[in-house]
């Protein structure tokens, strides 16, 4: 059996095994998907994962091979989809990842990036949790949902996700939730941008056995070190004792006054309780120069005898992989072309696209690239590889041709090429005017 066929068989085998115990995955156990219909549980999951960017009726026609006697109506699909819980897709995402072990950084560590991403959805002013009034981006206002994901930077796979309404997003809480339910084991290193630098995130990582490399703003680093200014180069450990009381009389260790940091009650911190009024934390603060007059601050707990400053630079540089993964998820896989207005069902679609993305990258990572002579090393053209893998999943490409087709489309690796980030407001795609 070829490797692509093994990956495909494994994915569908997990779906089949889920159908034997539907209780964790449906709203009404014992009733939902208990009758024989065109859209049973297995066919529903398969269709959701392999669905592309076309309008709903066109997607149904393609999936049922344009057979008028077999094609269900869009209404039938919507009614059956309403019986599912998001746990069905989260379980499938996790199980599928665990069947194919991820690659390790330095032979030991899992390098995991966390970042947020926004998705514009169909306009609905009656939903205050997602509707943003008119502003400089949109004259009519727009609806948006926010996601926080964990992404394996070495194996290029999505591991988990939390979806939040755009107006009620809380990135700190979402990341803490993702850290707490991480189930892949090993020695994970969490890599995150400066928007995730806070004591609560550090504490959740320390309590669950995570290492972390998190960028911090100058002002946050100064507060942590109680310093008026920061040197150009820094690498030191610092101990802090967190408390919600400013009373010096209540301190358990008054002789360590310089280590105490006050956290007001309005700031979430989950490890200070009545029984444990103080929380001790040991952090490593690293500061280095990246360009003339530009410096970066890194908060980490990685041991300094194994991870020097240059190692931390390399680790944080790899974080950009989650940014390019979001680009491929949204545009190459067409995740922005939703088939629903409801944020609940849009969450289903995002999860399905992540499973599909992982299916494509698991296959692509094993495709051998013939070494080219010349200036550059080469890599797979992921955009073309995804199209080939999706066609294979939908039985539109022969199994024996997958690796060969992917290896024909390669691109040179240019590690020093950079582009300025372009921020543009994008309206959601119309439900009707699509052709895929």
């Amino acid at each position: 059996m070829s490797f692509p066929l093994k990956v495909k068989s494994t994915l569908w085998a997990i779906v089949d095994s889920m159908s034997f115990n539907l209780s964790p995955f449906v709203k009404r156990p014992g009733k939902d998907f208990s009758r024989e219909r065109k859209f049973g549980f297995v066919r529903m999951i398969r269709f959701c994962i392999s669905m592309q960017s076309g309008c709903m009726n066109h997607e149904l026609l393609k999936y049922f091979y344009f057979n008028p006697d077999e094609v269900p109506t869009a209404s039938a699909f919507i009614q059956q989809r309403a019986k599912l819980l998001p746990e069905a897709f989260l379980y499938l995402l996790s199980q599928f990842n665990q069947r194919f072990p991820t690659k390790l950084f330095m032979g030991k560590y899992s390098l995991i990036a966390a970042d947020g991403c926004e998705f514009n959805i169909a306009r609905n002013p009656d939903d205050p949790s997602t509707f943003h009034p008119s502003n400089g981006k949109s004259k009519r206002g727009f609806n948006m949902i926010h996601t926080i994901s964990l992404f394996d930077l070495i194996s290029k796979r999505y591991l988990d996700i939390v979806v939040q309404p755009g107006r009620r997003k809380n990135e700190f809480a979402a990341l803490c939730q993702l850290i707490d339910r991480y189930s892949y084991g090993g020695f994970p290193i969490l890599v995150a941008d400066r928007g995730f630098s806070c004591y609560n995130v550090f504490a959740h990582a320390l309590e669950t056995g995570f290492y972390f490399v998190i960028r911090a703003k100058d002002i946050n680093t100064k507060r942590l070190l109680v310093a008026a200014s920061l040197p150009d180069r820094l690498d030191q450990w610092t101990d802090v004792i967190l408390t919600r009381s400013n009373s010096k009389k209540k301190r358990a260790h008054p002789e360590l006054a310089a280590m105490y940091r006050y956290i007001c009650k309005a700031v979430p911190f989950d490890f200070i309780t009545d029984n444990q009024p103080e929380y001790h934390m040991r952090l490593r603060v690293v500061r280095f120069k990246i360009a003339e007059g530009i410096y970066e601050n890194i908060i980490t707990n990685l041991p300094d005898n194994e991870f020097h400053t240059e190692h931390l630079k390399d680790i944080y540089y790899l974080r950009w992989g989650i940014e390019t993964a979001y680009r491929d998820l949204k545009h190459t896989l067409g995740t922005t072309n939703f088939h629903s207005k409801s944020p609940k069902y849009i969450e289903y679609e995002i999860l399905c696209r992540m499973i599909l993305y992982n299916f494509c990258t698991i296959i692509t990572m094993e495709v051998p690239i013939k070494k080219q002579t010349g200036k550059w090393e080469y890599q797979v053209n992921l955009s073309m590889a995804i199209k080939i893998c999706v066609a294979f999943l939908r039985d539109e490409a022969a199994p024996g041709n997958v690796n060969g087709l992917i290896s024909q489309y390669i691109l040179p690796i240019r590690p020093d090429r950079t582009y300025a980030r372009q921020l543009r407001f994008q309206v959601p795609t119309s439900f009707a005017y699509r052709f895929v």
Side-chain angles (χ1 to χ4, degrees), residues 282-300:
R282 182 168 172 79
L283 302 171
R284 180 183 171 196
V285 183
V286 181
R287 180 176 170 86
F288 50 82
K289 182 178 180 179
I290 58 172
E292 191 62 36
I294 301 176
Y295 301 87
E296 292 287 10
N297 307 301
I298 296 294
I299 311 297
T300 183

Side-chain angles (χ1 to χ4, degrees), residues 4-180:
L5 193 57
K6 177 183 176 182
V7 177
K8 180 178 177 179
S9 300
T10 301
L11 176 61
W12 293 152
I14 297 171
V15 177
D16 291 340
S17 67
M18 292 168 62
S19 67
F20 295 117
N21 180 21
L22 295 177
S23 299
F25 313 125
V26 297
K27 294 179 180 177
R28 299 180 303 168
K31 293 184 177 180
D32 292 336
F33 295 103
S34 59
R35 297 173 59 187
E36 187 69 27
R37 296 181 182 273
K38 291 182 179 179
F39 263 128
F41 177 82
V42 171
R43 179 171 278 181
M44 171 61 66
I45 299 294
R46 288 192 176 199
F47 175 71
C48 289
I49 292 173
S50 59
M51 189 162 49
Q52 296 178 298
S53 301
C55 65
M56 179 58 66
N57 284 322
H58 187 204
E59 289 300 319
L60 290 168
L61 277 171
K62 289 191 296 181
Y63 189 79
F64 288 90
Y65 303 102
F66 293 85
N67 186 340
D69 297 327
E70 292 291 331
V71 179
T73 63
S75 176
F77 165 76
I78 292 169
Q79 292 177 52
Q80 291 294 91
R81 181 184 60 184
K83 299 175 181 178
L84 294 171
L85 293 173
E87 284 75 11
F89 301 104
L90 285 168
Y91 176 85
L92 180 56
L93 177 68
S94 173
Q95 290 296 308
F96 187 47
N97 279 327
Q98 292 179 14
R99 299 295 177 89
F100 297 93
T102 55
K103 301 181 185 298
L104 299 177
F105 179 70
M106 297 176 60
K108 178 180 178 181
Y109 301 95
S110 298
L111 206 56
I112 299 168
D115 201 8
C117 186
E118 296 172 342
F119 293 86
N120 290 331
I121 63 178
R123 185 175 180 272
N124 179 13
D126 295 329
D127 183 1
S129 66
T130 63
F131 183 70
H132 292 256
S134 59
N135 54 26
K137 295 182 179 180
S138 171
K139 294 181 179 179
R140 300 176 63 240
F142 61 95
N143 290 69
M144 184 190 72
I145 60 172
H146 187 80
T147 66
I148 301 292
S149 305
L150 294 184
F151 181 79
D152 190 296
L153 293 167
I154 306 301
S155 296
K156 299 181 180 180
R157 292 189 218 167
Y158 288 97
L159 304 179
D160 203 352
I161 185 175
V162 169
V163 180
Q164 299 174 324
R167 294 295 298 275
R168 299 175 183 171
K169 69 178 183 180
N170 186 331
E171 293 188 324
F172 294 136
L175 181 54
C176 291
Q177 182 181 346
L178 290 170
I179 291 172
D180 291 344

Side-chain angles (χ1 to χ4, degrees), residues 265-278:
K265 293 182 179 180
V267 176
F269 189 82
D270 301 325
F271 299 97
I272 292 180
T273 63
D274 293 338
N275 296 327
Q276 184 180 337
E278 297 180 357

Side-chain angles (χ1 to χ4, degrees), residues 356-373:
L356 185 58
Y357 180 93
N358 290 359
F359 172 82
C360 297
T361 54
I362 288 171
I363 293 175
T364 302
M365 292 286 285
E366 299 298 323
V367 173
I369 302 298
K370 295 180 180 179
K371 189 172 182 179
Q372 305 286 324
T373 58

Side-chain angles (χ1 to χ4, degrees), residues 245-255 257 260 278:
S245 172
N246 259 331
S247 174
K248 294 182 180 180
K249 296 180 179 179
K250 295 182 179 180
R251 292 177 178 176
H253 302 280
E255 73 280 6
Y260 275 84
E278 297 180 357

Side-chain angles (χ1 to χ4, degrees), residues 193-207:
D193 205 354
R194 58 188 181 180
F196 296 96
S197 175
C198 77
Y199 286 128
N200 203 29
V201 169
F202 300 153
H204 276 267
L206 291 168
E207 291 292 326

